[in-house]
mmCIF file of all heavy atoms in Angstrom:
data_model
loop_
_atom_site.group_PDB
_atom_site.id
_atom_site.type_symbol
_atom_site.label_atom_id
_atom_site.label_comp_id
_atom_site.label_asym_id
_atom_site.label_seq_id
_atom_site.Cartn_x
_atom_site.Cartn_y
_atom_site.Cartn_z
ATOM 1 N N VAL A 138 -2.605 32.341 -19.973
ATOM 2 C CA VAL A 138 -3.757 31.870 -20.666
ATOM 3 C C VAL A 138 -4.857 31.751 -19.716
ATOM 4 O O VAL A 138 -5.991 32.072 -19.821
ATOM 5 C CB VAL A 138 -3.599 30.769 -21.511
ATOM 6 C CG1 VAL A 138 -4.910 30.171 -22.045
ATOM 7 C CG2 VAL A 138 -2.568 30.977 -22.648
ATOM 8 N N GLY A 141 -6.683 34.681 -18.519
ATOM 9 C CA GLY A 141 -7.527 35.315 -19.387
ATOM 10 C C GLY A 141 -8.902 34.570 -19.608
ATOM 11 O O GLY A 141 -9.812 35.020 -20.367
ATOM 12 N N LEU A 142 -9.000 33.535 -18.938
ATOM 13 C CA LEU A 142 -10.332 32.657 -18.905
ATOM 14 C C LEU A 142 -11.459 33.490 -18.168
ATOM 15 O O LEU A 142 -11.057 34.259 -17.299
ATOM 16 C CB LEU A 142 -10.127 31.336 -18.247
ATOM 17 C CG LEU A 142 -9.250 30.374 -19.055
ATOM 18 C CD1 LEU A 142 -9.037 29.061 -18.033
ATOM 19 C CD2 LEU A 142 -9.764 29.861 -20.351
ATOM 20 N N PRO A 143 -12.665 33.238 -18.574
ATOM 21 C CA PRO A 143 -13.702 33.883 -17.744
ATOM 22 C C PRO A 143 -13.593 33.418 -16.300
ATOM 23 O O PRO A 143 -12.984 32.309 -16.095
ATOM 24 C CB PRO A 143 -15.087 33.248 -18.384
ATOM 25 C CG PRO A 143 -14.596 32.958 -19.914
ATOM 26 C CD PRO A 143 -13.156 32.616 -19.759
ATOM 27 N N GLU A 146 -14.669 29.788 -15.177
ATOM 28 C CA GLU A 146 -13.660 28.666 -15.680
ATOM 29 C C GLU A 146 -12.393 28.881 -15.007
ATOM 30 O O GLU A 146 -11.744 27.857 -14.612
ATOM 31 C CB GLU A 146 -13.552 28.946 -17.147
ATOM 32 C CG GLU A 146 -14.764 28.607 -17.933
ATOM 33 C CD GLU A 146 -14.730 28.756 -19.520
ATOM 34 O OE1 GLU A 146 -13.605 28.882 -19.927
ATOM 35 O OE2 GLU A 146 -15.765 28.985 -20.037
ATOM 36 N N ARG A 177 -17.310 23.689 -16.627
ATOM 37 C CA ARG A 177 -16.388 24.686 -16.559
ATOM 38 C C ARG A 177 -15.063 24.315 -17.055
ATOM 39 O O ARG A 177 -14.176 24.935 -17.846
ATOM 40 C CB ARG A 177 -16.356 25.481 -15.341
ATOM 41 C CG ARG A 177 -17.632 26.279 -15.047
ATOM 42 C CD ARG A 177 -17.640 26.756 -13.611
ATOM 43 N NE ARG A 177 -18.943 27.458 -13.316
ATOM 44 C CZ ARG A 177 -19.035 28.106 -12.056
ATOM 45 N NH1 ARG A 177 -18.155 28.118 -11.278
ATOM 46 N NH2 ARG A 177 -20.240 28.638 -11.879
ATOM 47 N N ILE A 178 -14.613 23.147 -16.478
ATOM 48 C CA ILE A 178 -13.352 22.594 -16.748
ATOM 49 C C ILE A 178 -13.228 22.172 -18.196
ATOM 50 O O ILE A 178 -12.270 22.448 -18.799
ATOM 51 C CB ILE A 178 -13.004 21.354 -15.736
ATOM 52 C CG1 ILE A 178 -12.783 21.997 -14.371
ATOM 53 C CG2 ILE A 178 -11.663 20.690 -16.326
ATOM 54 C CD1 ILE A 178 -12.658 20.973 -13.325
ATOM 55 N N SER A 179 -14.266 21.577 -18.688
ATOM 56 C CA SER A 179 -14.359 21.145 -20.081
ATOM 57 C C SER A 179 -14.136 22.330 -21.087
ATOM 58 O O SER A 179 -13.288 22.293 -22.066
ATOM 59 C CB SER A 179 -15.634 20.399 -20.416
ATOM 60 O OG SER A 179 -15.662 19.977 -21.738
ATOM 61 N N ARG A 180 -14.873 23.445 -20.731
ATOM 62 C CA ARG A 180 -14.811 24.507 -21.677
ATOM 63 C C ARG A 180 -13.372 25.148 -21.623
ATOM 64 O O ARG A 180 -12.774 25.585 -22.539
ATOM 65 C CB ARG A 180 -15.852 25.621 -21.326
ATOM 66 C CG ARG A 180 -17.299 25.196 -21.750
ATOM 67 C CD ARG A 180 -18.172 26.332 -21.583
ATOM 68 N NE ARG A 180 -18.228 26.978 -20.330
ATOM 69 C CZ ARG A 180 -19.047 26.631 -19.311
ATOM 70 N NH1 ARG A 180 -19.973 25.696 -19.476
ATOM 71 N NH2 ARG A 180 -19.046 27.244 -18.159
ATOM 72 N N ALA A 181 -12.894 25.352 -20.268
ATOM 73 C CA ALA A 181 -11.511 25.902 -20.131
ATOM 74 C C ALA A 181 -10.471 24.980 -20.694
ATOM 75 O O ALA A 181 -9.555 25.703 -21.390
ATOM 76 C CB ALA A 181 -11.259 25.881 -18.565
ATOM 77 N N ARG A 182 -10.618 23.857 -20.759
ATOM 78 C CA ARG A 182 -9.524 22.822 -21.375
ATOM 79 C C ARG A 182 -9.591 23.192 -22.938
ATOM 80 O O ARG A 182 -8.573 23.253 -23.555
ATOM 81 C CB ARG A 182 -9.846 21.369 -21.202
ATOM 82 C CG ARG A 182 -9.292 21.018 -19.761
ATOM 83 C CD ARG A 182 -9.418 19.541 -19.612
ATOM 84 N NE ARG A 182 -8.773 19.079 -18.479
ATOM 85 C CZ ARG A 182 -9.329 18.157 -17.654
ATOM 86 N NH1 ARG A 182 -10.365 17.334 -18.016
ATOM 87 N NH2 ARG A 182 -8.558 17.764 -16.644
ATOM 88 N N ALA A 183 -10.830 23.315 -23.499
ATOM 89 C CA ALA A 183 -10.861 23.583 -24.918
ATOM 90 C C ALA A 183 -10.294 25.013 -25.251
ATOM 91 O O ALA A 183 -9.461 25.196 -26.185
ATOM 92 C CB ALA A 183 -12.228 23.656 -25.429
ATOM 93 N N ARG A 184 -10.561 25.974 -24.410
ATOM 94 C CA ARG A 184 -9.890 27.354 -24.606
ATOM 95 C C ARG A 184 -8.413 27.301 -24.505
ATOM 96 O O ARG A 184 -7.733 27.909 -25.217
ATOM 97 C CB ARG A 184 -10.588 28.325 -23.652
ATOM 98 C CG ARG A 184 -11.857 28.677 -23.934
ATOM 99 C CD ARG A 184 -12.405 29.669 -22.875
ATOM 100 N NE ARG A 184 -13.885 29.701 -22.627
ATOM 101 C CZ ARG A 184 -14.554 30.652 -23.048
ATOM 102 N NH1 ARG A 184 -13.999 31.747 -23.740
ATOM 103 N NH2 ARG A 184 -15.893 30.654 -22.933
ATOM 104 N N LEU A 185 -7.970 26.643 -23.409
ATOM 105 C CA LEU A 185 -6.585 26.506 -23.147
ATOM 106 C C LEU A 185 -5.849 25.894 -24.365
ATOM 107 O O LEU A 185 -4.792 26.372 -24.891
ATOM 108 C CB LEU A 185 -6.291 25.744 -21.823
ATOM 109 C CG LEU A 185 -6.460 26.399 -20.592
ATOM 110 C CD1 LEU A 185 -6.486 25.416 -19.389
ATOM 111 C CD2 LEU A 185 -5.665 27.533 -20.333
ATOM 112 N N ARG A 186 -6.307 24.802 -24.720
ATOM 113 C CA ARG A 186 -5.746 24.034 -25.991
ATOM 114 C C ARG A 186 -5.609 25.041 -27.192
ATOM 115 O O ARG A 186 -4.570 25.085 -27.796
ATOM 116 C CB ARG A 186 -6.551 22.794 -26.289
ATOM 117 C CG ARG A 186 -5.845 21.721 -27.038
ATOM 118 C CD ARG A 186 -6.574 20.439 -27.172
ATOM 119 N NE ARG A 186 -7.029 19.857 -25.873
ATOM 120 C CZ ARG A 186 -8.197 19.747 -25.349
ATOM 121 N NH1 ARG A 186 -9.243 20.104 -26.048
ATOM 122 N NH2 ARG A 186 -8.509 19.225 -24.218
ATOM 123 N N ALA A 187 -6.848 25.739 -27.436
ATOM 124 C CA ALA A 187 -6.744 26.496 -28.567
ATOM 125 C C ALA A 187 -5.710 27.797 -28.501
ATOM 126 O O ALA A 187 -5.038 28.065 -29.301
ATOM 127 C CB ALA A 187 -8.160 27.100 -28.852
ATOM 128 N N GLU A 188 -5.700 28.315 -27.322
ATOM 129 C CA GLU A 188 -4.837 29.452 -27.054
ATOM 130 C C GLU A 188 -3.454 29.051 -27.114
ATOM 131 O O GLU A 188 -2.615 29.591 -27.634
ATOM 132 C CB GLU A 188 -5.147 30.070 -25.711
ATOM 133 C CG GLU A 188 -6.417 30.824 -25.613
ATOM 134 C CD GLU A 188 -6.325 32.219 -26.339
ATOM 135 O OE1 GLU A 188 -5.203 32.788 -26.407
ATOM 136 O OE2 GLU A 188 -7.307 32.575 -26.930
ATOM 137 N N LEU A 189 -2.998 27.845 -26.487
ATOM 138 C CA LEU A 189 -1.656 27.486 -26.315
ATOM 139 C C LEU A 189 -1.093 27.018 -27.852
ATOM 140 O O LEU A 189 -0.104 27.140 -28.066
ATOM 141 C CB LEU A 189 -1.495 26.418 -25.376
ATOM 142 C CG LEU A 189 -1.702 26.878 -23.990
ATOM 143 C CD1 LEU A 189 -1.728 25.732 -22.983
ATOM 144 C CD2 LEU A 189 -0.649 27.805 -23.542
ATOM 145 N N GLU A 190 -2.106 26.505 -28.699
ATOM 146 C CA GLU A 190 -1.606 26.107 -30.016
ATOM 147 C C GLU A 190 -1.380 27.279 -30.813
ATOM 148 O O GLU A 190 -0.442 27.308 -31.642
ATOM 149 C CB GLU A 190 -2.689 25.172 -30.627
ATOM 150 C CG GLU A 190 -2.660 23.734 -29.956
ATOM 151 C CD GLU A 190 -3.879 22.866 -30.712
ATOM 152 O OE1 GLU A 190 -4.376 23.254 -31.610
ATOM 153 O OE2 GLU A 190 -3.994 21.736 -30.115
ATOM 154 N N GLU A 191 -2.161 28.399 -30.628
ATOM 155 C CA GLU A 191 -1.911 29.719 -31.371
ATOM 156 C C GLU A 191 -0.558 30.200 -30.974
ATOM 157 O O GLU A 191 0.061 30.857 -31.802
ATOM 158 C CB GLU A 191 -2.978 30.622 -31.061
ATOM 159 C CG GLU A 191 -4.321 30.404 -31.720
ATOM 160 C CD GLU A 191 -5.458 31.400 -31.409
ATOM 161 O OE1 GLU A 191 -4.993 32.452 -30.943
ATOM 162 O OE2 GLU A 191 -6.582 31.103 -31.531
#
Side-chain angles (χ1 to χ4, degrees):
V138 174
L142 292 172
E146 292 175 19
R177 291 174 184 184
I178 290 171
S179 177
R180 286 192 309 267
R182 281 185 172 146
R184 289 179 202 252
L185 287 168
R186 201 173 298 115
E188 287 287 328
L189 292 173
E190 285 178 6
E191 282 181 20

